[in-house]
Amino acid sequence: MEVTNNTMTPAEGDHRTESSEGHHHGESHEHGSTTGMVRRLLASFVLLALFLVLDWQGVWQATSWLRLPAYILAFLPIGIPVLLEAIEITREETFFNECTLMFIASMGAFAIGEYPEAVMLMCLYALGEIFEDKAVDSARQSISSLIDSRSDKVQLVTEEGYEEVSAEEVPVGAVILVQTGDIVPLDGKLLGDRPRDLDLSALTGESMPVTKNVGDEILAGSVSHMESFQLEVTKPFSESTLSRIMRMSEEAAEEKPKTELFIRRFARVYTPIVFGLAVLIVAVPYLIQGSAYDFSTWLYRGLVFLVTSCPCALIISVPLSYYSGLGAASRNGLLFKGAVFLEAFRKVDAMIFDKTGTLTEGTFEHVELNPVGTFEQSDVAPLIKSMEQHSNHPIAQAVVNSLADAPPVEVTDIQELAGRGMVAMHGSEELCLGNLTLMNERGVTVQEDTIHPGKTVLYFSKGGELAATVTLSDAIKPSSHAAIAALHKYGISPLVMLSGDKADVAEHVAQDLGLDDAKGGLLPDDKMREVRILMQEHTVAYVGDGLNDAPVMSMVPVGVAMGGLGSDATIEAADVVIQGDDPYSLVNALDIAKKTNTIVIQNIVFSLAFKATVMILATLGYASLTLAIIADVGVTLLAVLNATRVLHFKGTHPADQR
């Protein structure tokens, strides 16, 4: 009954934690396995049914001395495991737990001659456990499927052929073979001579295959159903996308939301109080009635009250509701790093967005290199390409792709300056590539005719002289308009965009999308200042993907990272990770968070109202142990089934609504 720890993590596989509420102890115990429980339940139920028939036929009248041993025999298969677990929980945690309560109630029923009800109490209790186990397993499965699919062995490509080795031993730069139907075990770049269609559903929730071109990054957890291919490993096993998701999933249930923490504190106080009230229901009438006192009558009422009062419906269904919410989010390509953020997300009333890679594609429709003054294309293209190859920013990748034919040159001392650009050395000359802020910092003069309002422009200087401009046009993501419109309908306002891009570019995109406000030309410190201002009046969620978004992620109530294009630092700092890059996933995340909260409230109200009613009836003598069992096990079962409803949530997408 009292909860001390209810952490359910995917790493537990088919076992529960050793200290969870009440009877929810480790299934590693022999008596705790679901299969064994079913067998014991069937044995007890068959014997109970047989002895009830004998009761109905009056057989026990001639051999009444056999009736008690017979019902004890029916009780033992399910009674002994509960007694053992009650002893263990009492020794490790507290006397006030559900197993102890159920065993005491059963012994009381035997004491007053209600043998069938004593056995029935345990049978229904075991049935509730079985259904709850199934519900918990269903909730866990959606999160643990990635872990179950992990491959520990890979086919390493060597000069002699293929060698099977542990994924943890594969170094960065090695080439591995991914066979048809295999889970990609490591992050890497696609090799070969043609594109491949990959199933990313385990990572992003995307049902349709995604085409990856040669040289594109392939994330661990992807699946090739059509043909095998080779992959150049870009990250070690411990830093791969799949390993990172696994770590996040294993930690996801450790931070408890306020509602769940309140229920735990409530149970710790409530349980001993109602236990004491049950004792008073039995004892006080004796002081009032004296010789007219009927011990059996009042003991029965006390037992009914005790069984009814058990708060297991709350302490089971509330954390299970949040866990189911985490599972539903995982199925839809969303990873909440804890139920606390699932609860926090529903309270968000303002959102701040980065631009590039978040609301826009981050893959630029058009890249144009324009040399300045006496510089030629052949002078600047190799230098720019060689610098940008060292950045994973979407703009850098677009520039590198557009300059594929430029020969590489050696650049040294490369530094990436968040929100400004890059600097490097070529021989004795300093190279700078970035925005106007960087040019001003380095004392580079920028002519007016090189400034293009409404477009993203990079400025390249060599030896302190402006040598070229790179003009880019970024496409807005197809679902961004629908996402912004849906968030507005939810009442999320203001919706603001903060970008390191030029102010006129940011404003142009914001007007197109229907955002409430936009500010451009911001450095990380500027973004943090703007966020602090908004946080004074709103509960803010920040959505971004770039390295310069990581500091802001750490300061807001809820940080959301675009997992596909997002930098490692941003993903680590975020509270919610969108495994793809679809901004409409924010709408689904909000739906899941609100639906989960609704189910939690429903379970709390229904459980307390039903139990309070039966407890009053029990005190007045109008409730039986059967009704008490329904109020406990039945209500718990209904609450558990209600909690798992969120698992069936299927996210929407603008394409589904056409």
Side-chain angles (χ1 to χ4, degrees):
M1 290 178 59
E2 180 184 0
V3 184
T4 57
N5 182 9
N6 186 39
T7 303
M8 295 183 294
T9 68
E12 294 162 354
D14 292 330
H15 302 286
R16 296 204 188 167
T17 51
E18 288 297 328
S19 48
S20 56
E21 67 271 17
H23 63 277
H24 303 284
H25 270 242
E27 289 185 5
S28 55
H29 302 154
E30 183 182 352
H31 62 270
S33 68
T34 303
T35 302
M37 192 185 305
V38 171
R39 291 172 181 170
R40 292 189 294 271
L41 173 61
L42 288 175
S44 289
F45 185 79
V46 169
L47 290 174
L48 174 62
L50 173 62
F51 299 149
L52 284 173
V53 170
L54 295 179
D55 260 338
W56 180 59
Q57 294 292 332
V59 173
W60 296 121
Q61 293 178 2
T63 55
S64 58
W65 61 273
L66 283 175
R67 187 168 183 264
L68 176 58
Y71 279 105
I72 290 177
L73 179 64
F75 176 82
L76 289 178
I78 50 176
I80 289 179
V82 174
L83 173 61
L84 294 175
E85 196 158 356
I87 293 172
E88 181 181 336
I89 301 173
T90 300
R91 184 176 65 251
E92 294 180 357
E93 300 173 19
T94 177
F95 174 80
F96 299 106
N97 61 79
E98 189 179 359
C99 292
T100 301
L101 181 149
M102 288 297 172
F103 194 80
I104 290 175
S106 297
M107 292 301 98
F110 272 115
I112 60 177
E114 299 290 344
Y115 309 152
E117 285 193 293
V119 181
M120 181 63 71
L121 174 65
M122 281 298 178
C123 284
L124 291 178
Y125 172 70
L127 182 64
E129 268 202 322
I130 291 169
F131 275 103
E132 184 201 332
D133 288 343
K134 296 296 184 183
V136 172
D137 288 343
S138 178
R140 179 187 294 121
Q141 185 177 1
S142 57
I143 296 179
S144 63
S145 58
L146 279 175
I147 296 172
D148 295 336
S149 67
R150 177 180 56 174
S151 175
D152 292 329
K153 299 293 184 180
V154 300
Q155 295 292 325
L156 182 66
V157 179
T158 66
E159 294 180 357
E160 292 77 23
Y162 300 108
E163 178 185 356
E164 186 174 83
V165 299
S166 170
E168 297 180 351
E169 299 175 359
V170 178
V172 173
V175 177
I176 62 173
L177 173 68
V178 180
Q179 296 179 330
T180 305
D182 282 354
I183 305 293
V184 176
L186 298 162
D187 289 358
K189 291 183 178 180
L190 177 63
L191 302 179
D193 56 0
R194 63 185 184 280
R196 296 292 195 280
D197 290 337
L198 297 178
D199 177 3
L200 306 184
S201 59
L203 294 172
T204 67
E206 173 63 51
S207 59
M208 297 297 293
V210 176
T211 300
K212 293 291 185 178
N213 295 313
V214 175
D216 284 354
E217 183 180 17
I218 307 296
L219 300 180
S222 307
V223 182
S224 175
H225 292 304
M226 300 300 294
E227 54 186 330
S228 61
F229 58 87
Q230 291 188 353
L231 196 72
E232 180 184 345
V233 177
T234 57
K235 291 182 182 178
F237 179 81
S238 61
E239 298 177 13
S240 69
T241 299
L242 188 55
S243 295
R244 187 168 64 232
I245 292 173
M246 287 162 50
R247 286 196 302 271
M248 293 175 183
S249 297
E250 290 169 0
E251 296 166 357
E254 293 183 5
E255 292 194 67
K256 305 299 178 186
K258 291 181 179 179
T259 305
E260 183 177 338
L261 293 175
F262 169 76
I263 292 298
R264 291 182 174 201
R265 292 192 294 267
F266 171 79
R268 292 191 183 104
V269 176
Y270 166 88
T271 303
I273 289 176
V274 295
F275 203 94
L277 289 176
V279 173
L280 291 177
I281 289 174
V282 178
V284 170
Y286 174 75
L287 302 176
I288 299 173
Q289 296 177 347
S291 59
Y293 174 75
D294 183 359
F295 175 73
S296 295
T297 298
W298 289 103
L299 177 60
Y300 188 83
R301 293 186 185 185
L303 294 175
V304 173
F305 183 93
L306 192 63
V307 173
T308 304
S309 65
C310 178
C312 59
L314 294 177
I315 60 180
I316 294 170
S317 67
V318 170
L320 181 59
S321 297
Y322 285 112
Y323 197 73
S324 297
L326 294 175
S330 179
R331 286 183 175 183
N332 287 274
L334 294 156
L335 181 62
F336 284 83
K337 296 183 182 178
V340 63
F341 301 115
L342 188 65
E343 184 178 55
F345 197 71
R346 73 172 179 84
K347 300 177 182 178
V348 166
D349 62 359
M351 281 193 190
I352 301 175
F353 301 88
D354 179 41
K355 179 180 76 69
T356 306
T358 301
L359 294 174
T360 63
E361 290 285 6
T363 54
F364 293 80
E365 293 179 323
H366 183 66
V367 180
E368 183 180 348
L369 175 61
N370 297 300
V372 174
T374 59
F375 289 94
E376 300 289 338
Q377 183 97 1
S378 58
D379 298 328
V380 296
L383 296 171
I384 293 174
K385 176 184 175 182
S386 299
M387 290 180 70
E388 293 286 50
Q389 282 179 333
H390 294 274
S391 173
N392 64 356
H393 194 282
I395 289 179
Q397 295 173 3
V399 172
V400 170
N401 291 335
S402 70
L403 300 177
D405 296 333
V409 296
E410 183 179 1
V411 292
T412 59
D413 300 332
I414 300 170
Q415 298 180 55
E416 189 164 4
L417 307 177
R420 287 166 289 175
M422 303 178 69
V423 295
M425 296 297 295
H426 178 58
S428 60
E429 290 186 308
E430 182 183 64
L431 307 177
C432 299
L433 179 64
N435 56 23
L436 279 174
T437 302
L438 179 62
M439 296 297 110
N440 293 333
E441 286 180 357
R442 300 291 167 159
V444 178
T445 301
V446 176
Q447 293 85 356
E448 286 291 333
D449 59 356
T450 63
I451 300 175
H452 304 284
K455 293 185 178 181
T456 298
V457 181
L458 297 180
Y459 299 91
F460 174 68
S461 67
K462 181 181 179 184
E465 181 182 357
L466 184 67
T469 62
V470 183
T471 306
L472 307 98
S473 300
D474 191 6
I476 293 176
K477 292 182 178 180
S479 64
S480 290
H481 290 90
I484 298 302
L487 292 172
H488 270 136
K489 288 182 179 179
Y490 258 124
I492 308 298
S493 181
L495 298 175
V496 180
M497 185 170 69
L498 302 179
S499 176
D501 208 342
K502 294 193 303 180
D504 56 342
V505 175
E507 291 170 4
H508 174 77
V509 173
Q511 291 176 1
D512 191 349
L513 291 174
L515 295 171
D516 299 308
D517 193 13
K519 294 184 179 180
L522 302 178
L523 299 177
D525 288 346
D526 300 324
K527 287 189 176 184
M528 294 175 73
R529 183 185 67 251
E530 295 294 334
V531 171
R532 286 193 186 98
I533 294 173
L534 199 59
M535 285 174 59
Q536 293 175 3
E537 298 181 1
H538 297 277
T539 302
V540 175
Y542 184 90
V543 188
D545 73 304
L547 178 64
N548 60 337
D549 296 319
V552 185
M553 293 280 184
S554 302
M555 63 181 288
V556 295
V558 183
V560 184
M562 292 290 184
L565 292 176
S567 71
D568 289 348
T570 305
I571 291 173
E572 292 298 328
D575 307 309
V576 185
V577 179
I578 297 175
Q579 289 305 311
D581 297 303
D582 187 353
Y584 201 84
S585 295
L586 293 166
V587 181
N588 291 329
L590 204 56
D591 281 336
I592 292 171
K594 290 182 178 296
K595 187 177 181 67
T596 300
N597 180 70
T598 298
I599 289 175
V600 168
I601 299 301
Q602 287 174 348
N603 282 341
I604 292 174
V605 172
F606 171 69
S607 299
L608 291 179
F610 195 97
K611 284 179 176 291
T613 301
V614 178
M615 288 164 70
I616 294 172
L617 292 175
T619 306
L620 299 176
Y622 294 110
S624 65
L625 262 179
T626 301
L627 184 58
I629 295 169
I630 295 174
D632 176 39
V633 180
V635 170
T636 300
L637 181 57
L638 289 175
V640 165
L641 293 176
N642 189 41
T644 58
R645 283 196 303 121
V646 71
L647 273 175
H648 304 295
F649 174 87
K650 185 176 181 181
T652 59
H653 192 273
D656 302 331
Q657 302 168 14
R658 289 201 289 265

